[in-house]
């Protein structure tokens, strides 16, 4: 996942990259942010489904 920090020049959220001691900031676009939010929602949904399945399996094994 990208390293997101606040740009010291403009104060906006930006991707941070350090190469040979030089720090670079690349501004995040709305499309980038929407794609990341979509990825996070998908991962959260997958995790939630897996947790529910494991809880059901755990209850079944206990009984």
């Amino acid at each position: 996942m990208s390293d997101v920090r606040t740009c010291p020049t403009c104060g906006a959220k930006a991707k941070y990259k350090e190469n040979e001691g030089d720090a670079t900031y690349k501004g995040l676009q709305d499309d980038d942010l929407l794609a990341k939010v979509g990825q996070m929602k998908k991962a959260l949904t997958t995790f939630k489904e897996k947790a529910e399945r494991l809880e059901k399996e755990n209850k079944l094994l206990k009984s």
Side-chain angles (χ1 to χ4, degrees):
M1 193 175 268
S2 301
D3 187 9
V4 178
R5 297 185 182 183
T6 303
C7 178
T9 306
C10 65
K13 295 292 181 187
K15 290 182 185 176
Y16 174 80
K17 188 182 282 187
E18 192 169 330
N19 190 7
E20 296 178 13
D22 293 331
T24 58
Y25 293 89
K26 180 181 176 195
L28 290 174
Q29 303 299 317
D30 287 340
D31 295 338
D32 295 336
L33 295 175
L34 289 174
K36 290 291 182 187
V37 168
Q39 288 175 348
M40 293 298 291
K41 283 184 178 180
K42 185 176 179 181
L44 183 62
T45 302
T46 303
F47 175 76
K48 186 177 178 181
E49 290 171 356
K50 187 175 182 179
E52 288 173 354
R53 188 176 65 244
L54 289 173
E55 284 178 4
K56 288 179 184 177
E57 184 179 332
N58 190 22
K59 285 181 183 179
L60 182 66
L61 290 173
K62 285 185 177 179
S63 60

